Structures are given as C-alpha cells and as structure tokens.
Amino acid sequence: MPYGLRCEHRAEPLGIDEPEPLLSWRLSSGRRGDAPGGFRVRVRAEDGAQVWDSGPVDDPSAVSVRYGGPALRPRTRYRWTVEVTGTDGATAREESWFETGMLSPSAWSAAWITHDPSVQDVVDAPEEGEVALADHGLQPAVRLRRAFEAPAAPVAARLYVTARGLYEIRVNGTRVGDAELAPGWTDYRDRIDYQAYDVTGLVRTGANMLAATIADGWWSGFVGFDERRSGAHYGTFPQLLAELHLVHADGSADVVATCGDWQSARSPVRYADLLMGECHDLRRETPGWDLPDAGHDGEGWRTAWVAATDRSRLTASVAPPVRAVRELPARTVTPLAGGGFLVDFGQNFAGRVRLTARGLAPGDRVVIRHGEALDEAGALYTANLRTADATDVLIAGGDAETVFEPRFTYHGFRYAEVTGLSALDAGDITGVVLHSDTPWAGEFTCSDPDVDRLHEAISWGQRSNFVGVPTDCPQRDERLGWLADAQVFLPTACLNADVAAFFDGWLREVRGAQSPDGAFGNVAPRLAGVSDEGAPGWGDAGVLVPWHLYRVYGDERFLERNLDAMCAWVDHVHRHNPDLVWSNRTGPHFADWLAPTPTPRDVLATAYFARSAALTARAAEVVGSEEAAARYGALAAHVRKTFTERFVSADGRVHGDTQTAYLLALAFELLPDDLVPGAVRRLAELVEEAGPGLTTGFLGVGLIAPVLDAHGRADLAHALLRRTDPPSWLYPLRHGATTVWERWDGYTPERGFQAAAMNSFNHYALGSVGEWLYRGVAGLDQAPGSTGYRELLIRPRPGALSGASARYESVRGLVSTGWTRRDGVFELRVAVPPGATATVHIPTDDPAGVREGGTPVADAPGVSVAGTGPRELRCRIGSGDYRFTAALQ
Ligand code: BGC
C-alpha cells in the first residue's frame, strides 16, 4: 500500500517551481516478504484531463519518479496517483496533489513596496523614561494595505508573497497561512524565496482588504557577531512584494499586486529584530486597519513607496516553513525580590512567549528578557548572549486584557524575566516553540533514562537550530549557518526528522556562497562583508552534505545539483596544494573546534581533502560523469597515499596521536588495510587512557562511537556514552542541561560559566552522537552501499543495557527495531518495509538456538541464515515484521 505521498519531498506543496518535480511514496504491508513488482504514476489536471502517464514501470525498488510529461503550467494544481503492483499482481493506489508556483521570475508583475523611508517620525526631546527604551537604532515595522473589489467570491484565490525582510499578511483581517519568519533567510542578493497560499475561503464578494506588516528580519536587521557590520547586511529597510490571483467562475482572472496604489503606515511595532527583540506600542494600535471597511485614509496612512521592480531573483521556497510547532507551559513562576517574575519553561528552546497581561494603564511597560541559564544568585544569566538584547517590550494601550506575542523575532531561552506586571499566573505565560517544520521521522528510547534524556536534548538542539537554515545556536548574536556544525550533525538530524527539503533549500545557499575560485564558505547564507574561504571540515560540508542526503533519501538530484560545486571545491583545494597536503588556503582553519586535545591542522585538513575527493568521485559516478569519477577517484587515491606517507608510521600511528586523528583516518578509509589494526588499537588505547573518555571537538565527536563500533569496540562506545564526568555527553545533563552545550565544560560547579564570549547552551554539534543511538544502540541502519534504505543493516549493540528501540520513517516506509534482554533471553523485533531487504545481526551465546516467531530460524518463513560471527548469528530477511529470540547473558 503506498502512503506518505510527496512532491519535492513535501506533502501537498503549493508553489512548486521545479520543472520536473520528484513524486515519491512510501510503502506498507501487513504481509511478510511482500515486495512491489512495479508502479505506475498518472498526473492529471484539475479538470481530470490526463497530463502524464509513466506507464507501467517494472522497478521493484522504486519509490519515486521524476515527472516526465509536458511542461507544467504556472499556478496550476495537478493531481497524481501512484499505483503499486505487488509481485502477486494485486494493485494498490494512493493519490495526492501538488501545485505549481509562478515558475518563472518573468511571470510576476508586482513591485517592491514600503513606507517612504524619507518620511521620518517627528522627533521630540525624550521624556524621562523614554530613553530607557533601547531601540538599537531600529525603525518601526511597516504596514501596507490595499482595498479591492471582487465581483463575486472567486472559485480560486492564491496569494504569492515575499519580503525583503519578514512579512505577515492578512486577507480581511485573517492571517494567511501559519508560516513564521517568512520568507526565510537566503542570500537575498542571489535569490529571494516566495511562498504560495490558498486564500480562496478568505476573499468575499464585494469589498476586501489585503494587508501586511513587514519587519527587518535578516534583510535589514542585526545578524551575526561582526561589530563592523552588525546589521543591514542586505538592505536598509523592509519591502513587500505580493500578488493575489483571483480566478472567477467564468474563467476570468484578476490580479491584485503590490504597486504604487497601496497605502503604507508605520506599524505600532516600534521595532522588531531577530537579535534585539520586539516592541509593541499598543497606544498606537488602530483596530480594523486590515478590514475592508477601514476607509482609505486615516492618520499616518500615505501612498506606498515603490522601492524597486526587480523580480529576477524570485524563487519558490523549497524548504518547509518555520512554524509555531508546540507550546510549553510555564513550569514555575517565581516573584523576584526587586519586582518582576522569573518564569522557567523547563526546556531550553527557540521561540518566544505569549503573555496575557491585565490591569495595565496606557503607557505601562512590560519587559520580557530571555536567557538560557540562571546565575549563582538565581538571576537570569544573559552574558553569553553577547550583543543580542533578546528583550521584548509591550507598551500597554489601556485594554483590560492584552495578549502579547511578538511576531518578528525569536530567542533561544529556557527562562524569561518579566517586569512591569503586579501579578503573573503560570497560566498567563506560554512558551511558543518555533522551528522549521521538518516532519519528525524518528523515535529512540532505551533502558537507561540518562541516555533517553540525552536523545531528548539532542532533539531539542535540532529543533532549536533548524530555524529557516541550520544554525549553530539560537540565542546569541550569531545564529549563522555554520557549515561544519551542519555537516557533523546531519546524520543525526536525518534520523530524527525528514530534512530532505530543508537541506535542499540550504544547499542553494552553500552553492551560492562559493567563491569564483571554488571555495565554499564557512557560513551559508552568505552575509555582506563575509568572504572567508571554507576551513577544512567547514567548506567540505559542500561535498559531505549532498552525499549524505543522497544516501538517506536515495534522490540523485542532491548530487546532480551539487556536483559542479563539489568538483570546483576539490579543484580549489588541489590547485593550491599540489603536493596533496592541505596546508594552503585553509581559511580560518578552525581545526577540531573546541577539542580538549588538539589535532595537528595539516593531518585534519588532508584527511578532509581525501574524503571530499573520494565522495566527489562517487557522486560523479552516480551522476554518470565517468571522466570526473576517474579523475577524482585517482586524486583521492593519491591524497590517501600522501596522507599515509606523511602522517602514518609503519605501526599505524597517525601524526598527532589524537583520537580525532585516528577517527578521521579510519572513518574516511584513508589507511591501507595492514595499518588499520594498529590504528584501531591506538585509538582504543587513547580512549581507555582518557578514562575511558573522549578528547575530540566538533570534527571528531560524531565519528567516535561509529568508528569504535565498526572496529569491534562497541564496548568503548557504550562506556563513552554513559560517562558522566566532563568531557562527556551526560555531564551537562547532570548540571541541568536540556539541550546539548557548545562546550564540554560550559558550566562546572568549580569554575562556574565558561567564557561568556562564547558559551552557548544550545549547540547541536557535540550532539552528533545521536546517530549512533539509532544505528548502534537500537541497531537501525542501512548497509554501507545502500541508498534510500533499500538494504537495511539491523545490528543492535546492547552493551550493558537491557533494552532499546527505534522507529524511523524512511523514504521507503517504516523501519523499526526493538530489543530487550531479560533472564538470559535476547528478543529482537524488526519491521522492514516492502521492497527492502535486511541483514540482521543477532547477538547470542548460542547461534544454533536462535528462533524467529518461536520457530528455529532455519525453518522460519522468509528468514535465511547468512552466517555466524563471534557471538552472533546473521540472517537475511525481506519485508515484514519479525521477532527473533536468542540466548544471551
Ligand atoms: C560557532 C560555531 C562555528 C565556529 C567556527 C562559532 O562561533 O558558534 O559553532 O562552527 O564558530 O569555528
């Protein structure tokens, strides 16, 4: 049975600009050994006319197809069905739809409009109290509106909208869609994403009003930490561009587009900034401004100013929007000695608060400050936010009750300090969690509650930092799309959530930030004034990320779209390092960032050079570029050889003799076979000597458990996992962490907080061990050569645990594993989706006694014995649900 239909990795997307969109589905079946024989996809227009028929395709492994029909029409809904045929000839079908967007920048007619920036508010000398409102030189948000008539309620209405800045748009007073911080962050100099909304139900016969508020956002607000260029990276004031397309019953169409006949005014949002926060002055609120009967004039309204008409950079957004995904109740509200309240949401997260305030007089101020931690005195700790003010301000208008929720900012916090209210009930304040709405795809749990808490903290790190783009942290004046952070965390991220579309969007930014010489950057999207060349492990993300996405999602377009950029990156490194040791053009060479034991820079860089060359060769092979595959394959072999000659001794010791040096050499397969055992031995010694403990930074941390496991030392991986002294994953959890910290020792009771200059409590990089929880502890993995979870590898590593389980919604369908160990019996349940096969490694003291469903494996239907290893039996299975039992002490 097909289910979970997607177009371009999104369910029922509006606004697809890809000319040959990928249509995909997942499969489920209650029957063991069920496998699809083939599929057929048909695409129809709204009127039912067939547009494309793939015809029967005999591909038992396919779960997707590229649309191959005639050119798609703009702003058109297409319905599609997939029919899957089982090997027994039975068919099952499912249906979905997608809708095209504008398809081409030339299809737009709208202009960029805003409030005339030359019209400034009159300035009065500040009164006492006014100066206390630090506005950081930010301007008020802008309101824009346009009244229009509809002769009759339209049969279809679509709104295509974007902003240089952030927008919130309404039809007749009702907010359109639920996207937050739209249109998201791109290098606006290269591309500006637009979103499409179905507003059919909002437009009525007669008078209507289209109304928007726009704010600075990434376009003209503060971004990053560079004090010489702290804001206005792309522009100086926000602008809106929108087209409302109305289709009438008689087939005629109308367009309401942003242009000079709109009206503009300053918004009561006195400023709104991602880093600084947001201030609403409700005294300036004019209820009804966004309704059809608002009138055409009124105080402060004037003709909108046309700022620009360039539409050439408009692209449909490909990533899922940021949404308010869940709410966190206040766990405690504590009155503060000096007045005000301290609210604890019990969880560090990215988002904002919603506050209900009562009994305020006009002009009263409520100030909400945000922080991740409390200091020794129990007060809000904000030193680590650096220049990010992270403060929201409500100026009361005099209503008996006011609900305040900022709209154009977000903060990284667990605690909020609220001043200006005489009382605050826990029920009056809520944490609103924002993140890119990547569908959650994975679940993990095990018998150790500490490890479960670690998994939770890792997952919250992902939620908090996938906000439009993958960021390093959500709280301080940074929040940049650092490439290495994303690269090392990606394998974990892919198991937690479906991040295909999210990373597809971000990779456009990674490519866009590439220099003419081929250097990827360190951050993407690019910021004005930032042009550093990618450091080893940072720039290499431009190669490693597409490759990993291809493996997880089986979508070759990740390689097609990125191959040229991958080749250019490897050529760049090669060109400047003809002796194949990467020591020139290493950008800011961050090395194994924040490692307790540093790894020599040239070892680390050269390892990444070899890895990028090797993956580029493999990508070229997949895409069918034989010449490139051969060229980069040969280069990779030479870099590997150089690495060994320069850095590896005859007994397998790697120069620097650090955990990360061995991890890179082993994970990237740089060593000749005869040197591997020596390197593994030395790695194990180093881990043992450290406690067992780890001494890696960002670049080694995600590799340590998988590499130890792959080389027979899962015992050490478990020891690291359960260690509680720093550096370790559990140490922060013992000290109140609810997200993974940037530093192993972000806080210690002996020394207190680490340097406030760089000490985030919500950084996901060190949480990249999350991958091994699924792959190692629960044993849910795909085989090394497999893509799109076609060939599964189920190999649980129980360690001293008594149980673990994982579920993962793969591109092919649901994969799950769950094992328990009780009274000498190991029980393993496995679910394999149709069309996939699996090799299952069952740990046991008695391989001959292993049963499936109570029957000896040799006789169990759909199970074949593939071999035995030290204390394990290997079986091959096809799709279906299985329950193995085995003796294991
Ligand atoms: C960021 C990182 C990033 C690093 C570069 C830091 O300021 O927070 O996560 O990768 O700089 O070394």
Side-chain angles (χ1 to χ4, degrees), residues 306-327:
V306 176
T309 53
D310 176 18
R311 300 174 282 264
S312 63
R313 290 172 181 77
L314 296 175
T315 48
S317 58
V318 299
V322 173
R323 292 198 171 98
V325 179
R326 65 163 97 179
E327 299 193 344

Side-chain angles (χ1 to χ4, degrees), residues 653 657 659 682-693 695 716 723:
R653 284 208 174 213
D657 199 32
Q659 292 181 4
R682 186 61 194 143
L683 169 65
E685 276 168 21
L686 288 171
V687 172
E688 273 159 354
E689 282 165 16
T695 60
L716 283 180
R723 182 187 160 115

